[in-house]
Amino acid sequence: MTESYELVIADGEASLMALEIWGALRGLETFSQMVYQLDDDNDGEYYINASYVTDFPRFGYRGFMLDTCRHYMPLDTILKHLDAMAYNKFNVFHWHIVDDQAFPYQSIKFPAMSEKGAYHPVNKIYTQDDVAFVVEYARLRGIRVIPEFDTPGHTYSWGKGIPNLLTECWIVYDKHADFGPIHPIVNSSYEFLEDLFGEIVNVFPDRFVHLGADEVSYACWESNPDVQLFMEQRGWSDSEYNKLEEYYQNRLFDIIIGLGSRFIIWQDPIDNNVTVSNMTVVEVWKDTSLWYKLPPYRDGLEKVTKLGLKAVLSACFYLNYIDYGPDWERFYLCEPTDFNGKNRNI
């Protein structure tokens, strides 16, 4: 997207010049925000000052993520959010649409996933018409919609509609003790993923899909004797479950590439020393400000970019961790390029 524009207001006339429609949209938004009324103007007249504006985005990816899985949001709420994004010239809606807690996306090929995995099979889902409406509503405002279907972890709700998809845990570790991440060693898992993502890349037309890949607990895999045998047959030791994670991720990457799409993941596989495709875009979300045991976000950006991978930074901007006081100062003080590495963006 080329979003640059030039706005000239002089001699009672206004002109807007842009190379693409996306720049024209941004320029019209700026124009609308420059219009004002005088406090004592009873005639209802509107004014705008003579101005010259030349504007372009510093970063090509300016995203906002909504989690509509853990907290279902009605369609009207999502549309209002897209309006607010347009006012502020955001251009990527990162739609975190499914997770452990619920699967509200109504799949064409796998309708049982929302029937059994959503908070309510009718009132708490996003139909195909809903998704198409959101995608088009966003497009008309210059906003891309990138869906996140996080795997192999964060998939507990998936298993309710797809039998034998998840790894059976043999030892109780946490609240999801019966099943863990997607089963990584059976071909049926990858056949399912190819079918599901084949649908997703057609329903969501953006060239990127977010594959998640964060917070994969090895505990369930470690407890499963079939997985243990699979590891042993490949000569992987009990401490090398990152190789199993790499095996899964690269098989999924091959599926996505074969579907003609590209992908974003969270930084966790990189932190686990998983070797990923050089096409991978990595979203850095960890920072000491979230939890004292996490590394600073600059370390994550440095590690990702030194691997030659492109990055998206979200670690500085957690709106669900709002405090009392001057939060916005902290957000604006975060400088995305302030790290030791290569400054790149998508």
Side-chain angles (χ1 to χ4, degrees), residues 324-343:
Y324 291 103
D327 285 290
W328 291 106
E329 292 181 11
R330 174 166 49 86
F331 296 150
Y332 279 110
L333 288 172
C334 177
E335 171 49 59
T337 63
D338 181 19
F339 66 96
N340 295 319
K342 298 179 180 179
N343 295 335

Side-chain angles (χ1 to χ4, degrees), residues 5-17 27 30-36 47-55:
Y5 63 90
E6 184 179 271
L7 177 62
V8 180
I9 303 165
D11 301 325
E13 295 184 352
S15 65
L16 175 63
M17 291 159 281
T30 295
F31 181 87
S32 73
Q33 294 174 7
M34 294 170 67
V35 175
Y36 64 96
Y47 300 86
I48 188 167
N49 294 334
S51 306
Y52 172 74
V53 178
T54 179
D55 190 21

Side-chain angles (χ1 to χ4, degrees), residues 232-287:
E232 182 181 335
Q233 290 173 340
R234 278 155 182 75
W236 299 338
S237 71
D238 292 342
S239 63
E240 293 182 312
Y241 276 87
N242 65 322
K243 290 187 176 180
L244 182 60
E245 182 182 6
E246 183 175 309
Y247 172 85
Y248 172 88
Q249 293 297 346
N250 283 304
R251 285 197 65 171
L252 178 57
F253 293 159
D254 287 343
I255 289 171
I256 303 301
I257 292 169
L259 293 170
S261 191
R262 296 188 63 184
F263 43 88
I264 305 172
I265 62 171
W266 299 107
Q267 73 185 81
D268 302 54
I270 305 301
D271 292 340
N272 293 339
N273 295 317
V274 168
T275 300
V276 300
S277 164
N278 59 11
M279 296 175 61
T280 308
V281 177
V282 180
E283 186 161 359
V284 174
W285 66 273
K286 296 179 182 179
D287 187 58

